[in-house]
Amino acid sequence: MLEAALVSTQASFADPILAERFEEKGFVLTDRQIPEDILQAVEEAYYRDRHHYLRDRYISTMELHDADHRLRINALFADVAGEIAKSLFTGYVQYYGGFGIKHPTGDASILSLHQDLTMVPYEAARTGLTIWIPLSDVDYRNGCVQVVPGSHVLNRRPRAPGMEYAFSDIESWICDELLKCVPMRRGQVLVMDQALSHRSGPNNSDRERIAIMGMFRPRETPLVYYLQAQDGDMLDVFEVPDDFYLRQQLGAKPCQGSYCGRIPRVVEPFPAAGFGAGAEQ
Ligand SMILES: O=C(O)CCC(=O)C(=O)O
């Protein structure tokens, strides 16, 4: 049960065209649109609690200590995007909702290339999903998401807080050769496989770039939390409840959950050849 190496990128999209695109690329930019009155309510919620987000040039709700705020923004995301998520893919449960704030600080605001932490284990039959919704039109000038199409099939191995990006030795090559910007309209809905290599670019505009995002697990698969063990290249594995990522400080001992055992920390190398050909959006 603890061995993870399978590549299962299924996500049960209702629309077969979205399903096919998602399977191939590891992300899909949908035509779903959050209505303007709801976007305004989300902005108001952000500005009411903006003081939480002034610490770093890029900061997300998951990094904050205020549990009430985290729970509130999770509920807000469910109100904003729950119905759209249900209409896009079936049998998924939201376990996190939060803001991603990028202050107008140029290159200092870049969120560097990464795969999301592993919260849905890879031995599951269906993959973990992230939905990302910007509150302004976004492109290369103000911090849009940038993806490596097709990279969701690479390194589907457990990632714990503090582990460096699997392909950091060739990160600048990946950025030069494979990274694609995903320009989006305010309120448009992007869905990503949590194993997809992605980052978000610099915000060179004169205002903060606000996004709201949510994370989903297949309903049949409980969440996990991996923690780097102190003695060597091992990870401790915990099964955790659905509100875990609304309360936990990443990298700390788990505040809830049950211990499942210890596994070796494994990172698969970038393929020597054949990746990237035809990786156009
Ligand atoms: O909000 C952003 O700029 C990107 C968010 C992201 O990539 C993440 O949370 O993994």
Side-chain angles (χ1 to χ4, degrees):
M1 183 236 163
L2 297 178
E3 263 302 304
L6 300 179
V7 174
S8 174
T9 57
Q10 299 281 337
S12 311
F13 275 88
D15 175 343
I17 295 175
L18 291 190
E20 194 182 327
R21 246 187 252 159
F22 180 85
E23 277 261 338
E24 188 191 345
K25 306 289 189 198
F27 71 100
V28 68
L29 183 54
T30 75
D31 59 3
R32 303 308 166 91
Q33 175 71 40
I34 307 296
E36 187 52 38
D37 56 332
I38 295 180
L39 293 173
Q40 282 172 22
V42 174
E43 262 164 359
E44 278 162 27
Y46 168 67
Y47 283 110
R48 255 195 315 274
D49 281 352
R50 182 173 180 267
H51 58 278
H52 288 301
Y53 294 92
L54 300 177
R55 195 180 72 205
D56 292 322
R57 291 158 180 175
Y58 175 83
I59 183 162
S60 76
T61 306
M62 202 180 281
E63 298 165 64
L64 302 180
H65 289 263
D66 186 321
D68 288 344
H69 174 75
R70 287 169 69 170
L71 291 163
R72 220 170 30 250
I73 304 307
N74 177 61
L76 176 68
F77 184 85
D79 288 346
V80 167
E83 286 308 312
I84 285 183
K86 261 193 219 145
S87 73
L88 281 171
F89 36 78
T90 45
Y92 272 80
V93 176
Q94 179 190 324
Y95 63 86
Y96 170 76
F99 288 119
I101 305 301
K102 191 181 281 289
H103 292 283
T105 51
D107 284 358
S109 68
I110 292 174
L111 180 63
S112 63
L113 204 55
H114 64 282
Q115 300 172 282
D116 290 339
L117 293 179
T118 312
M119 306 174 192
V120 176
Y122 288 120
E123 58 269 33
R126 299 192 293 161
T127 194
L129 298 174
T130 298
I131 280 186
W132 192 86
I133 303 166
L135 294 193
S136 52
D137 292 351
V138 287
D139 61 21
Y140 68 94
R141 290 168 292 195
N142 63 341
C144 68
V145 167
Q146 303 173 334
V147 300
V148 180
S151 60
H152 60 309
V153 300
L154 305 179
N155 189 47
R156 294 182 77 88
R157 295 287 189 167
R159 288 181 302 286
M163 281 172 64
E164 72 175 348
Y165 175 52
F167 314 124
S168 56
D169 53 334
I170 54 164
E171 185 172 336
S172 58
W173 175 80
I174 293 176
C175 291
D176 287 348
E177 300 296 327
L178 302 177
L179 201 62
K180 306 278 179 195
C181 281
V182 185
M184 293 173 65
R185 293 187 310 271
R186 168 176 163 88
Q188 200 177 356
V189 175
L190 173 71
V191 186
M192 291 181 281
D193 187 313
Q194 293 175 354
L196 184 76
S197 285
H198 65 289
R199 65 170 217 171
S200 59
N203 183 357
N204 289 314
S205 75
D206 58 3
R207 48 201 299 230
E208 63 229 76
R209 192 235 57 203
I210 307 165
I212 190 161
M213 72 189 93
M215 299 179 125
F216 294 80
R217 67 168 177 85
R219 72 173 159 224
E220 67 279 8
T221 306
L223 294 173
V224 287
Y225 178 60
Y226 295 102
L227 187 63
Q228 295 196 80
Q230 295 201 325
D231 57 342
D233 294 336
M234 304 292 285
L235 301 178
D236 285 327
V237 187
F238 301 85
E239 189 172 304
V240 296
D242 274 348
D243 61 349
F244 179 80
Y245 287 101
L246 304 176
R247 301 175 190 282
Q248 178 65 20
Q249 293 304 306
L250 296 178
K253 290 217 164 75
C255 60
Q256 315 172 71
S258 50
Y259 182 61
C260 303
R262 188 165 275 196
I263 57 171
R265 190 177 62 185
V266 176
V267 178
E268 285 175 5
F270 197 82
F275 183 82
E280 296 303 310
Q281 269 188 74

